[in-house]
Amino acid sequence: MMDDARHMLLALDLARKGLGTTSPNPVVGAVVVKGPGAGKVVGTGFHRRAGEPHAEALALGKAGAKARGATLYTTLEPCAHHGRTPPCLEHILAAGVKRVVCAMRDPNPVVNGRGIAGLKKAGIKVELGLLEGEARRLNEAYAKFITTRTPFVALKTAMTLDGRIATGSGQSRWISGEESRGFAHELRRQADAVLVGIGTLLADDPQLTVRLVKKGIKHGPMRIVLDSHLAIPLKSRVLQDQDQAGTIVVTTPPWGTSQVARRIEAMGAQVWQVRKDARGRVSFPELIKRLGQEGVTSLLIEGGSRVNAGALAAGVVDKVYAVIAPMVLGGGRNLPFMDDLGITRLEGAVPLRDVKATKIGPDVLIEAYLDKARTMKRKAS
């Protein structure tokens, strides 16, 4: 069992190499091990991007004839259907593997259980569930998208110890340390899209690009600006510098059909008109639905107080990354992490689960998931 875990950890490390490049496919790592006892690794592979060979095919290809009678470790159930590449099940059967250790089932309804069933039918021993929690976290965006057709939404913020994200004059550079800013760019690299509000854009004029560009890796995520009344300056860097990912300005009626919208589109950006919410701002649920229709599997929100509150109040956030810096700004006009949510009793607080704290340079990173089950149960009672 310890050897199985060691080999699966290697497969998970391989899978991580695909983060940010495989969408809308999952990240998958595979390891082929041959021989008695702990065995010897004879083949490895990971899925690099949609349309290219899957991890199992790559690992088996490297193993060659040594794969016959070997054990295959894979972080996700092998596919059994034809897509842009042949089914992994066919590669496994042809290679003569005798045992497959799989971390988790593929939540894709087209696959779920069919790959495992095909392996067992062929007489291959299958073991499922080793390090399943780690595998699920790696593919949390894929799992949500493939089952709901809406993106996994993460909210990232950097704040002081007393929860302030900027001074009253709008100064926020830099609350977090250099290491935390590097982590933020890695989150961007892994996301399909990054979103800010018009307030953040007017204050900082961000590029919303990734500073961690590596050979063969996409330049950055799609850039989204929430702008209910199309106040975005045409000289903004997200409009002037149209990279391969593109920019979408999301507005509300009737601004989506205005002359300003046509000028923005003439610059190469898209303008989406989305219905208003009760406060006259862009409806988050409608926006998330449309992003899913456009194939966006993951969204990173880097908003200010108003956008953060709107996303949480709308119930679209799945995960929070909060970088807490060792400094205090105090109240007054200094901007809080979150605008007013209208909560007056502790029973109404937004519940979180699976909270994790990590030291990152001088800062502390808090990661947590929104506990939507508790929220729904509370609303129903």
Side-chain angles (χ1 to χ4, degrees), residues 35-62:
K40 180 181 178 181
V41 175
V42 294
T44 61
F46 70 95
H47 185 44
R48 295 177 182 272
R49 54 181 54 84
E52 294 191 8
H54 290 188
E56 298 92 330
L58 290 169
L60 292 168
K62 289 181 181 179

mmCIF file of all heavy atoms in Angstrom, residues 35-62:
data_model
loop_
_atom_site.group_PDB
_atom_site.id
_atom_site.type_symbol
_atom_site.label_atom_id
_atom_site.label_comp_id
_atom_site.label_asym_id
_atom_site.label_seq_id
_atom_site.Cartn_x
_atom_site.Cartn_y
_atom_site.Cartn_z
ATOM 1 N N GLY A 35 7.596 -5.024 -12.205
ATOM 2 C CA GLY A 35 8.567 -5.762 -11.414
ATOM 3 C C GLY A 35 8.062 -6.132 -10.042
ATOM 4 O O GLY A 35 7.031 -5.629 -9.571
ATOM 5 N N PRO A 36 8.788 -6.992 -9.343
ATOM 6 C CA PRO A 36 8.388 -7.453 -8.005
ATOM 7 C C PRO A 36 8.573 -6.376 -6.944
ATOM 8 O O PRO A 36 9.277 -5.390 -7.148
ATOM 9 C CB PRO A 36 9.334 -8.632 -7.766
ATOM 10 C CG PRO A 36 10.559 -8.291 -8.562
ATOM 11 C CD PRO A 36 10.044 -7.607 -9.795
ATOM 12 N N GLY A 37 7.961 -6.592 -5.789
ATOM 13 C CA GLY A 37 8.097 -5.657 -4.684
ATOM 14 C C GLY A 37 7.563 -4.285 -5.040
ATOM 15 O O GLY A 37 6.462 -4.150 -5.564
ATOM 16 N N ALA A 38 8.381 -3.263 -4.786
ATOM 17 C CA ALA A 38 7.965 -1.897 -5.091
ATOM 18 C C ALA A 38 7.902 -1.650 -6.589
ATOM 19 O O ALA A 38 7.212 -0.752 -7.057
ATOM 20 C CB ALA A 38 8.928 -0.902 -4.447
ATOM 21 N N GLY A 39 8.606 -2.483 -7.362
ATOM 22 C CA GLY A 39 8.599 -2.323 -8.804
ATOM 23 C C GLY A 39 9.451 -1.152 -9.261
ATOM 24 O O GLY A 39 9.980 -0.373 -8.465
ATOM 25 N N LYS A 40 9.574 -1.026 -10.557
ATOM 26 C CA LYS A 40 10.356 0.046 -11.161
ATOM 27 C C LYS A 40 9.476 0.846 -12.114
ATOM 28 O O LYS A 40 8.704 0.278 -12.886
ATOM 29 C CB LYS A 40 11.542 -0.541 -11.922
ATOM 30 C CG LYS A 40 12.432 0.492 -12.595
ATOM 31 C CD LYS A 40 13.566 -0.170 -13.356
ATOM 32 C CE LYS A 40 14.431 0.867 -14.062
ATOM 33 N NZ LYS A 40 15.531 0.227 -14.841
ATOM 34 N N VAL A 41 9.596 2.159 -12.035
ATOM 35 C CA VAL A 41 8.838 3.024 -12.943
ATOM 36 C C VAL A 41 9.424 2.889 -14.341
ATOM 37 O O VAL A 41 10.608 3.185 -14.567
ATOM 38 C CB VAL A 41 8.884 4.498 -12.480
ATOM 39 C CG1 VAL A 41 8.194 5.392 -13.512
ATOM 40 C CG2 VAL A 41 8.212 4.651 -11.125
ATOM 41 N N VAL A 42 8.582 2.462 -15.294
ATOM 42 C CA VAL A 42 9.052 2.255 -16.662
ATOM 43 C C VAL A 42 8.391 3.208 -17.662
ATOM 44 O O VAL A 42 8.734 3.202 -18.852
ATOM 45 C CB VAL A 42 8.827 0.793 -17.104
ATOM 46 C CG1 VAL A 42 9.691 -0.146 -16.280
ATOM 47 C CG2 VAL A 42 7.352 0.408 -17.012
ATOM 48 N N GLY A 43 7.445 3.998 -17.178
ATOM 49 C CA GLY A 43 6.787 4.945 -18.074
ATOM 50 C C GLY A 43 5.980 5.972 -17.299
ATOM 51 O O GLY A 43 5.344 5.633 -16.295
ATOM 52 N N THR A 44 6.035 7.227 -17.717
ATOM 53 C CA THR A 44 5.247 8.292 -17.084
ATOM 54 C C THR A 44 4.657 9.196 -18.162
ATOM 55 O O THR A 44 5.164 9.259 -19.287
ATOM 56 C CB THR A 44 6.111 9.159 -16.148
ATOM 57 O OG1 THR A 44 7.145 9.786 -16.917
ATOM 58 C CG2 THR A 44 6.725 8.340 -15.021
ATOM 59 N N GLY A 45 3.600 9.892 -17.795
ATOM 60 C CA GLY A 45 3.009 10.835 -18.733
ATOM 61 C C GLY A 45 1.970 11.699 -18.054
ATOM 62 O O GLY A 45 1.437 11.344 -17.001
ATOM 63 N N PHE A 46 1.705 12.860 -18.653
ATOM 64 C CA PHE A 46 0.619 13.707 -18.173
ATOM 65 C C PHE A 46 -0.037 14.385 -19.365
ATOM 66 O O PHE A 46 0.607 14.609 -20.406
ATOM 67 C CB PHE A 46 1.105 14.748 -17.156
ATOM 68 C CG PHE A 46 1.972 15.841 -17.731
ATOM 69 C CD1 PHE A 46 1.432 17.062 -18.123
ATOM 70 C CD2 PHE A 46 3.339 15.648 -17.872
ATOM 71 C CE1 PHE A 46 2.234 18.067 -18.635
ATOM 72 C CE2 PHE A 46 4.152 16.651 -18.395
ATOM 73 C CZ PHE A 46 3.597 17.865 -18.779
ATOM 74 N N HIS A 47 -1.317 14.685 -19.226
ATOM 75 C CA HIS A 47 -2.065 15.336 -20.296
ATOM 76 C C HIS A 47 -1.650 16.801 -20.351
ATOM 77 O O HIS A 47 -1.738 17.517 -19.353
ATOM 78 C CB HIS A 47 -3.562 15.202 -20.020
ATOM 79 C CG HIS A 47 -4.429 15.735 -21.112
ATOM 80 N ND1 HIS A 47 -4.191 15.494 -22.445
ATOM 81 C CD2 HIS A 47 -5.551 16.500 -21.077
ATOM 82 C CE1 HIS A 47 -5.110 16.080 -23.185
ATOM 83 N NE2 HIS A 47 -5.952 16.699 -22.382
ATOM 84 N N ARG A 48 -1.195 17.249 -21.519
ATOM 85 C CA ARG A 48 -0.674 18.607 -21.656
ATOM 86 C C ARG A 48 -1.736 19.611 -22.067
ATOM 87 O O ARG A 48 -1.804 20.710 -21.539
ATOM 88 C CB ARG A 48 0.474 18.627 -22.668
ATOM 89 C CG ARG A 48 1.680 17.830 -22.216
ATOM 90 C CD ARG A 48 2.770 17.809 -23.268
ATOM 91 N NE ARG A 48 3.902 16.987 -22.832
ATOM 92 C CZ ARG A 48 4.918 17.423 -22.115
ATOM 93 N NH1 ARG A 48 4.972 18.689 -21.770
ATOM 94 N NH2 ARG A 48 5.902 16.620 -21.759
ATOM 95 N N ARG A 49 -2.572 19.249 -23.045
ATOM 96 C CA ARG A 49 -3.617 20.166 -23.501
ATOM 97 C C ARG A 49 -4.643 19.398 -24.305
ATOM 98 O O ARG A 49 -4.369 18.311 -24.818
ATOM 99 C CB ARG A 49 -3.048 21.330 -24.321
ATOM 100 C CG ARG A 49 -2.197 20.950 -25.492
ATOM 101 C CD ARG A 49 -1.651 22.181 -26.225
ATOM 102 N NE ARG A 49 -0.944 23.070 -25.323
ATOM 103 C CZ ARG A 49 0.332 22.929 -24.969
ATOM 104 N NH1 ARG A 49 1.024 21.904 -25.433
ATOM 105 N NH2 ARG A 49 0.909 23.790 -24.171
ATOM 106 N N ALA A 50 -5.848 19.979 -24.394
ATOM 107 C CA ALA A 50 -6.946 19.338 -25.106
ATOM 108 C C ALA A 50 -6.546 19.055 -26.550
ATOM 109 O O ALA A 50 -5.960 19.900 -27.223
ATOM 110 C CB ALA A 50 -8.187 20.223 -25.065
ATOM 111 N N GLY A 51 -6.864 17.846 -27.014
ATOM 112 C CA GLY A 51 -6.537 17.446 -28.373
ATOM 113 C C GLY A 51 -5.245 16.677 -28.488
ATOM 114 O O GLY A 51 -4.995 16.030 -29.508
ATOM 115 N N GLU A 52 -4.392 16.739 -27.446
ATOM 116 C CA GLU A 52 -3.137 16.001 -27.452
ATOM 117 C C GLU A 52 -3.311 14.690 -26.691
ATOM 118 O O GLU A 52 -4.305 14.496 -25.988
ATOM 119 C CB GLU A 52 -2.014 16.848 -26.847
ATOM 120 C CG GLU A 52 -1.676 18.072 -27.683
ATOM 121 C CD GLU A 52 -0.414 18.761 -27.232
ATOM 122 O OE1 GLU A 52 0.302 18.218 -26.360
ATOM 123 O OE2 GLU A 52 -0.122 19.854 -27.760
ATOM 124 N N PRO A 53 -2.366 13.740 -26.819
ATOM 125 C CA PRO A 53 -2.511 12.422 -26.178
ATOM 126 C C PRO A 53 -2.778 12.517 -24.682
ATOM 127 O O PRO A 53 -2.267 13.408 -24.007
ATOM 128 C CB PRO A 53 -1.161 11.748 -26.470
ATOM 129 C CG PRO A 53 -0.679 12.405 -27.718
ATOM 130 C CD PRO A 53 -1.134 13.834 -27.618
ATOM 131 N N HIS A 54 -3.550 11.560 -24.185
ATOM 132 C CA HIS A 54 -3.856 11.513 -22.763
ATOM 133 C C HIS A 54 -2.691 10.914 -21.980
ATOM 134 O O HIS A 54 -1.785 10.298 -22.547
ATOM 135 C CB HIS A 54 -5.128 10.712 -22.532
ATOM 136 C CG HIS A 54 -6.359 11.411 -23.014
ATOM 137 N ND1 HIS A 54 -7.633 10.946 -22.769
ATOM 138 C CD2 HIS A 54 -6.511 12.560 -23.720
ATOM 139 C CE1 HIS A 54 -8.516 11.767 -23.313
ATOM 140 N NE2 HIS A 54 -7.858 12.751 -23.893
ATOM 141 N N ALA A 55 -2.725 11.101 -20.677
ATOM 142 C CA ALA A 55 -1.614 10.689 -19.816
ATOM 143 C C ALA A 55 -1.331 9.192 -19.916
ATOM 144 O O ALA A 55 -0.166 8.770 -19.986
ATOM 145 C CB ALA A 55 -1.936 11.053 -18.368
ATOM 146 N N GLU A 56 -2.391 8.385 -19.917
ATOM 147 C CA GLU A 56 -2.205 6.931 -19.958
ATOM 148 C C GLU A 56 -1.506 6.500 -21.246
ATOM 149 O O GLU A 56 -0.603 5.663 -21.232
ATOM 150 C CB GLU A 56 -3.558 6.218 -19.840
ATOM 151 C CG GLU A 56 -4.292 6.500 -18.533
ATOM 152 C CD GLU A 56 -5.246 7.673 -18.634
ATOM 153 O OE1 GLU A 56 -4.979 8.600 -19.439
ATOM 154 O OE2 GLU A 56 -6.247 7.662 -17.913
ATOM 155 N N ALA A 57 -1.924 7.085 -22.378
ATOM 156 C CA ALA A 57 -1.320 6.729 -23.660
ATOM 157 C C ALA A 57 0.159 7.098 -23.686
ATOM 158 O O ALA A 57 0.998 6.329 -24.195
ATOM 159 C CB ALA A 57 -2.065 7.426 -24.794
ATOM 160 N N LEU A 58 0.493 8.252 -23.137
ATOM 161 C CA LEU A 58 1.893 8.687 -23.114
ATOM 162 C C LEU A 58 2.737 7.779 -22.232
ATOM 163 O O LEU A 58 3.848 7.381 -22.607
ATOM 164 C CB LEU A 58 1.976 10.129 -22.614
ATOM 165 C CG LEU A 58 1.431 11.198 -23.567
ATOM 166 C CD1 LEU A 58 1.332 12.543 -22.854
ATOM 167 C CD2 LEU A 58 2.317 11.316 -24.805
ATOM 168 N N ALA A 59 2.226 7.450 -21.034
ATOM 169 C CA ALA A 59 2.981 6.602 -20.111
ATOM 170 C C ALA A 59 3.179 5.202 -20.687
ATOM 171 O O ALA A 59 4.280 4.625 -20.603
ATOM 172 C CB ALA A 59 2.258 6.526 -18.769
ATOM 173 N N LEU A 60 2.133 4.644 -21.284
ATOM 174 C CA LEU A 60 2.242 3.312 -21.876
ATOM 175 C C LEU A 60 3.163 3.317 -23.091
ATOM 176 O O LEU A 60 3.889 2.354 -23.335
ATOM 177 C CB LEU A 60 0.850 2.801 -22.255
ATOM 178 C CG LEU A 60 -0.082 2.500 -21.077
ATOM 179 C CD1 LEU A 60 -1.508 2.283 -21.559
ATOM 180 C CD2 LEU A 60 0.410 1.293 -20.289
ATOM 181 N N GLY A 61 3.124 4.411 -23.840
ATOM 182 C CA GLY A 61 4.015 4.523 -24.987
ATOM 183 C C GLY A 61 5.470 4.528 -24.581
ATOM 184 O O GLY A 61 6.320 3.918 -25.236
ATOM 185 N N LYS A 62 5.779 5.213 -23.482
ATOM 186 C CA LYS A 62 7.161 5.237 -22.988
ATOM 187 C C LYS A 62 7.572 3.871 -22.444
ATOM 188 O O LYS A 62 8.730 3.465 -22.581
ATOM 189 C CB LYS A 62 7.310 6.295 -21.903
ATOM 190 C CG LYS A 62 7.240 7.732 -22.421
ATOM 191 C CD LYS A 62 7.425 8.724 -21.287
ATOM 192 C CE LYS A 62 7.342 10.157 -21.794
ATOM 193 N NZ LYS A 62 7.490 11.149 -20.692
#
